[in-house]
Amino acid sequence: DALGTGGVNVKSTDTLKIAAANETAFLNMEETSNLTLDADLTVAKATLGNTKLAAGTYTSADYPNFISGSGKLIVTEGEATGQKELLVEADFTQIVPNPVLKTAWVLLSSERNQLCEIQIVGLDGTLIRRMKEMLRQGENRISVDMDDVAPGMYLLVILREGEVETCKVVKQ
């Protein structure tokens, strides 16, 4: 009924089935193992085969070789490796002001014109808001309305062409 707080290792050819929302410290899945998500699973860190996941939300569409079912795998800390995700430290992206009262500005640069998605995600993995923006080559300033977001700490997840960047933001 519960995984416990220490974490879980799933051996090759084994299946871990999550029937009710659960959370644990880490998830390590060996090649050819399966995670059946009938409910959401929240972990601080996750490794699928040789890929360490960045903070974010993942479904069977993202990793069909490992994940099945309609639930979400929610990674709150993460440390990405591999080709699918690349965690970029917030050296190049700034959130101002932080803490924010009504509107946060995401300041980021782009090497080319490209579409990006910005998500506001609760620390429990709940998606609060999702927006898509077209980045221009060079410096970009994107407005993120947080006026109706409850006070607390959130992750701003920025997804663009193989990169997943996370920044913490505090809403006052």
Side-chain angles (χ1 to χ4, degrees), residues 16-104:
L16 173 62
K17 183 173 180 158
I18 303 298
N22 219 313
E23 70 180 77
T24 191
F26 67 84
L27 171 68
N28 288 328
M29 298 191 61
E30 293 182 2
E31 293 292 337
T32 72
S33 63
N34 184 265
L35 175 62
T36 302
L37 294 173
D38 294 331
D40 295 349
L41 173 61
T42 302
V43 298
K45 297 183 179 189
T47 303
L48 306 182
N50 294 322
T51 303
K52 292 181 181 180
L53 300 182
T57 302
Y58 303 91
T59 66
S60 59
D62 299 310
Y63 288 97
N65 291 342
F66 287 96
I67 302 173
S68 61
S70 60
K72 297 177 288 201
L73 174 61
I74 301 156
V75 181
T76 59
E77 293 177 23
E79 52 179 287
T81 62
Q83 297 175 345
K84 191 157 187 170
E85 282 76 32
L86 171 64
L87 178 63
V88 179
E89 294 298 328
D91 296 339
F92 303 106
T93 299
Q94 290 182 310
I95 310 299
V96 292
N98 195 1
V100 61
L101 288 173
K102 294 182 179 189
T103 303

Side-chain angles (χ1 to χ4, degrees), residues 7 13 16 32 35 50 132 136 150 168 172:
T13 71
L16 173 62
T32 72
L35 175 62
N50 294 322
K132 295 191 184 233
R136 297 175 325 276
K168 290 181 182 173
Q172 289 184 330

Side-chain angles (χ1 to χ4, degrees), residues 100-163:
V100 61
L101 288 173
K102 294 182 179 189
T103 303
W105 293 94
V106 179
L107 309 175
L108 68 146
S109 62
S110 180
E111 293 179 5
R112 63 189 166 288
N113 294 343
Q114 62 179 308
L115 187 64
C116 87
E117 180 175 306
I118 298 176
Q119 300 174 355
I120 301 173
V121 179
L123 294 181
D124 64 352
T126 303
L127 179 65
I128 308 297
R129 180 168 295 129
R130 173 183 292 166
M131 56 188 273
K132 295 191 184 233
E133 291 287 329
M134 180 57 82
L135 299 178
R136 297 175 325 276
Q137 181 177 4
E139 299 302 315
N140 292 267
R141 181 178 169 143
I142 300 167
S143 170
V144 178
D145 180 21
M146 295 186 68
D147 193 30
D148 60 343
V149 176
M153 184 176 293
Y154 297 89
L155 295 175
L156 237 56
V157 180
I158 303 164
L159 303 118
R160 54 181 164 161
E161 293 185 12
E163 294 182 3

